[in-house]
Structure formats: C-alpha cells, structure tokens
Amino acid sequence: MSEKRFIGAIDQGTTSSRFLIFNDKGDLITFHQVELPQSQPHSGWLEHDPLVILDTVLECIEKTIKRFELMGYDIKDIKAIGVTNQRESAVAWNKKTGNPLRNTIVWSDTRTDELVHELKKKEEQDGQPNIQDLAGLDISSYFTAVKFRWMLDNDDQVKEAVKNGEACLGTVDSWLIYKLSNGQAFVTDVTNASRTLLMNLKTLSWDNDLLRFFDIDRKLLPKLCSSSQIYGHVGLESCALKGVPIAGCLGDQQAALLGQKCFSKGEAKCTFGTGAFMLFNTGEDMVESTHGLITTVAFKLGDNEKATYALEGSMAVAGSSLRWLRDNLRLIDSMEEVSELAKHVPDTGGVYFVTAFSGLFAPYWRDDARGTMIGLTSYTNKYHLARATLESMSYQSKAILDAMNKDAGVPLKVLKVDGGVSNSDIAMQIQADILGIDVKRPMMRETTALGTAIAAGLSVGIWKNMNELKESMVQDEELTTFTPHTTTEERDEKYQVWKKAIDTSLHWTNDVDDLSEED
C-alpha cells in the first residue's frame, strides 16, 4: 500500500484567506475560507491589519485540519505547506516583539501618487539608474518599494523601529512565514521580490543601485530565496501543523501560472480575482516589453535551478468592480447576481464602463485616469450596467492580450482562466467573444493554491522532478471551453469605441486638481 502524501497551501488574498489541502495527484481534498476585512481611512487608501491577516490564516488552517481529520485522514501525512499571497502589499513589523508597526498598505493603494511623480523626476537626473532596466518595472504606486518609502517618511513607529535597528519590511509572504515559523525565518521568494522595484531581475538579488535610489537599507529586507525550498518549519505551539516544513512560496499570480500547468514557454493564463492578471511564460528568456507590459519572474523551483520568466499584464479592477456594485451602489445583494442580470440583455445598450477607480494599469499605466461610464441614455437599466461591468474586464484583457502578442511575436490562440470571476459562464463567454480566441477553464479552479502546493511538494520530494510531477497529475483534465461567437468586424468595431472610452477617462485627476487650484 503506497504512502498517503498531502500538501497544504495557504492562499492569502486581498479579500480573503484560505487554507487548502491537495494530494500528490493535485486533487483538492478540502479547504476553508474566511473573508478578510479591509479599511479605507482616506480616498485612495486601502489597508489590512497584519494581525487579522495572520488570524484569518490560522483560523483557516484549524478548520481545514478538523475537516481533513473528520474525512478519515491523518495530519502526519501532510508533508509540507506552501504560501501564496497578494503581491506588492507592504508590511512593517518589529523583529524584537514580532508585532506590526502599522497597517499593511495594500497593492492597489494610491496614496503614493505624488511620491511616484517625485521619484520619476529624480530618475531623469544625471547619474540615476534606469529603474526598468534593472527591476523590469516602471516606478508606480502599484509596487512595494514606493510603499516602503512612504512608511519610512511618514510613519513615526516605523521611523523609531528603524532607528533602533528593530524594523522588518516585507510583503505578505514574509510576514506570514515569519509568524508561522515563530520568528525563525525572515525570507521572501524571487517572484514576490520581483514586484518590489528593489530586486535585479538578472542577478535575482537585492540591487545596490535600486536600494540607493529608494534609500532603503538592505538590513530591513528579508533574505531572498527560490520559490521551492524549505524556509523553516511551523513553530507556533497553538498550530496543528507545528513541525511541518514551510517549503513553497510564490506571489499569487505566479502561483496560478504554475497551478495552471503553464510549465512551458509560450503558455499563458489570466486570473480574474480582485484584479485580473495575465501571465505569459517566456522560459529562461527575459523579454523586455515595448508595449506596456511587465517583465517578471514566473518561478524558480529550487535554489540551484534557473529562473523562468514571464510577461505580465495587470488590471487593477476586476472582481472588485462587482463588489463596488454590491457595496457602494447597492445594485445587487451578492456578486453572483451580476451574471444573472447580464443574461437578461444581449448587449450593454451602448454603455461602456472604464473601471479606473485608482487609475489604469497595463498596458496604459495612467494614474490620472478615473472611473468613467459613457453611453448612458434613458433606455439604460441595471441589466446593461451589469453587462457593461463584465465587458469592462474583457476589453482590458484584450488590450493586454494585444500587447502580449506584439511582445511575444506569436499570437496566443488559447487563454487559460481561473479566479473567482471565472466561475461565471457569461463572463467567460464575453471574454471569448471580445478576445476572439478560445477561453479554457479547468474544472479544479484552485490553481493559485495548487501552484504553491506544487512548489512545496517538489521541495520535500513528493515529486523528484518536473517530469514526474507532470506524469502524476492528470494530463487530460476536464476543461470547459468558451468559443467566440462574434466576427472579427464586430469585435473590432466595439473595441474602437472602448478605446474612445479610455481616452475619456484620462487626465481626470489633473483636470480636477487644476479646477481646485483655480477655486
């Protein structure tokens, strides 16, 4: 009788925390999920309490383990756990007490817009490094270094801890691994580090020129590691997983690429969660985008393994637009209702909705854009608004896909999808209709968690190598395929109107600021 082997996966996202358990075939055994509260103390600010992040993760672990044991399984058969997390969000804590110094600044927070403009002016000065050449990223409020710099400049507790040599700065993965290991491991992996503006993409190390530019001391940052190695062991006495190796770590979008089994160059996926993120595996080649995409690390599966790179197009708003319809407009009672409303009409009645609540990410990169809804008439109803919200994600996906095709040189023919919004058949059919390619959705949609479980399993020898991993997981997995029902002419005509809507959303913050100054 073969040994039973399981891997746990912490999936800590922007709106929820989860813990999932997989077997060595990649099958999901059980999980638990807890919604994560967030606060908006000022316009454009978005924060999480780091202790609440930790508590929700521990609650998920406890309840998942109870269910796992009730199903007749033994906790000792969980051989490792992996961590995957919301990327770019910045956490600061005191390494002496282990307590957070302030709230987490979430990735979509825009309080640093003015700082970003100052840093861009600084970059233009003689003797300053070209940030994108080193980090693969342009300076933006999206990335972590700018959030760290804001904390260091504006938060008295952070300043005091730095002065006393007691400060730790990290992303959510670093915080969770630090706390789970009972303070024994202060680490991050190269996928998360590649989103900070502080890591050199070629050397995969903290870069002296970048650290100097942002004026951040290397001592404040975690040790850089691969995505698949033993970083430490669960050290919390109260945790049922005490002693289990923490052996996998990836940012959520890179984890989803791995979980979608996009192991090879030329494969791509798009995750529709709070935001939406399309990644294209470029293999061991770093492809520099000339069309508004990000060059990033896809994964590095072992300390001595080479890194795999990816092109990424990021969309700030996807599922969060549905939350906005529910919580702000009170148009719906649940986010799932949007799909039902959208089914009532064949089109949007001419309405286009640019969901630029905090600016536009790829491929536009415009922090002066704001949410814009055009084409409203007395004919417009809630069904049209629901459909326009779903279409907005698809048009932004098309802009990213077009940029990706130009950068990669080979048009993508199939897009793999996952994430909460992908559960909606009509949302994915709209994707296919607007993109003009097949959209494939796996039956097992917990691909983000599976990605970090794969990394953890490889590290502790559940699979000896990638070939054994591929053989052990079902190759002919069940997929739902959405095929385009539109013509090229129909797609192009509507997309031209979308581009006009984008133009309408631009310069908004600048224009409003100018009016305020005149007053």
Side-chain angles (χ1 to χ4, degrees), residues 14 34 70 103 128 135 145 156 178 190 205 215 267 282 311 365 387 393 438-439 513:
T14 313
V34 175
L70 284 171
N103 275 350
Q128 295 296 345
D156 290 338
Y178 185 88
V190 290
S205 60
D215 191 19
E267 295 182 303
T282 63
L311 283 171
W365 297 110
R387 193 174 184 100
M393 300 179 211
D438 283 356
V439 171
D513 288 344

Side-chain angles (χ1 to χ4, degrees), residues 27 156 188 206 355 383-384:
D27 301 320
D156 290 338
T188 190
W206 298 126
T355 55
Y383 306 126
H384 296 122

Side-chain angles (χ1 to χ4, degrees), residues 381-484:
N381 57 43
K382 63 180 180 180
Y383 306 126
H384 296 122
L385 297 185
R387 193 174 184 100
T389 304
L390 296 181
E391 285 198 0
S392 175
M393 300 179 211
S394 300
Y395 285 121
Q396 291 180 78
S397 296
K398 177 168 173 55
I400 292 169
L401 182 66
D402 286 353
M404 209 162 268
N405 286 339
K406 290 171 185 173
D407 281 332
V410 180
L412 195 66
K413 295 180 180 178
V414 173
L415 182 65
K416 297 179 180 180
V417 295
D418 55 73
V421 179
S422 74
N423 292 328
S424 165
D425 286 355
I426 189 168
M428 293 304 99
Q429 184 59 54
I430 289 171
Q431 283 286 329
D433 289 343
I434 289 175
L435 298 180
I437 61 173
D438 283 356
V439 171
K440 292 185 180 289
R441 182 182 67 196
M443 183 64 68
M444 203 292 289
R445 297 168 205 171
E446 303 296 348
T447 52
T448 301
L450 178 60
T452 197
I454 287 172
L458 284 167
S459 178
V460 297
I462 286 181
W463 308 283
K464 292 186 178 66
N465 51 47
M466 290 297 288
N467 289 332
E468 187 176 306
L469 168 68
K470 292 174 186 176
E471 288 172 8
S472 71
M473 292 196 177
V474 179
Q475 294 300 302
D476 299 322
E477 62 179 327
E478 191 172 347
L479 297 167
T480 302
T481 300
F482 300 89
T483 303

Side-chain angles (χ1 to χ4, degrees), residues 153-313:
D153 290 338
N154 295 280
D155 193 288
D156 290 338
Q157 287 197 67
V158 174
K159 289 179 185 178
E160 185 68 19
V162 170
K163 181 182 174 182
N164 295 333
E166 297 173 351
C168 292
L169 298 181
T171 40
V172 171
D173 58 306
S174 298
W175 165 247
L176 287 175
I177 294 173
Y178 185 88
K179 296 300 286 185
L180 287 168
S181 68
N182 208 17
Q184 297 305 302
F186 181 33
V187 298
T188 190
D189 92 300
V190 290
T191 68
N192 279 293
S194 72
R195 318 294 296 184
T196 62
L197 283 167
L198 298 174
M199 188 186 83
N200 186 305
L201 270 191
K202 296 184 181 73
T203 65
L204 303 181
S205 60
W206 298 126
D207 186 272
N208 289 332
D209 289 337
L210 294 172
L211 293 170
R212 194 177 302 115
F213 179 85
F214 289 101
D215 191 19
I216 294 174
D217 191 333
R218 185 191 300 264
K219 294 175 184 175
L220 301 173
L221 301 175
K223 177 185 176 183
L224 276 172
C225 299
S226 77
S227 311
S228 178
Q229 65 183 80
I230 296 176
Y231 314 106
H233 295 74
V234 177
L236 295 178
E237 292 291 341
S238 59
C239 183
L241 294 174
K242 187 174 188 301
V244 173
I246 306 168
C249 178
L250 299 100
D252 54 7
Q253 302 312 317
Q254 287 94 332
L257 187 73
L258 196 58
Q260 281 274 27
K261 306 179 187 70
C262 295
F263 303 135
S264 304
K265 183 176 180 177
E267 295 182 303
K269 69 88 199 177
C270 191
T271 299
F272 295 93
T274 302
F277 307 87
M278 193 181 297
L279 271 74
F280 181 95
N281 185 326
T282 63
E284 294 176 9
D285 301 321
M286 272 180 52
V287 176
E288 186 176 338
S289 175
T290 56
H291 297 91
L293 302 180
I294 293 166
T295 304
T296 195
V297 179
F299 41 80
K300 185 177 186 290
L301 299 176
D303 198 30
N304 298 317
E305 298 296 322
K306 290 183 177 180
T308 295
Y309 292 91
L311 283 171
E312 176 174 339

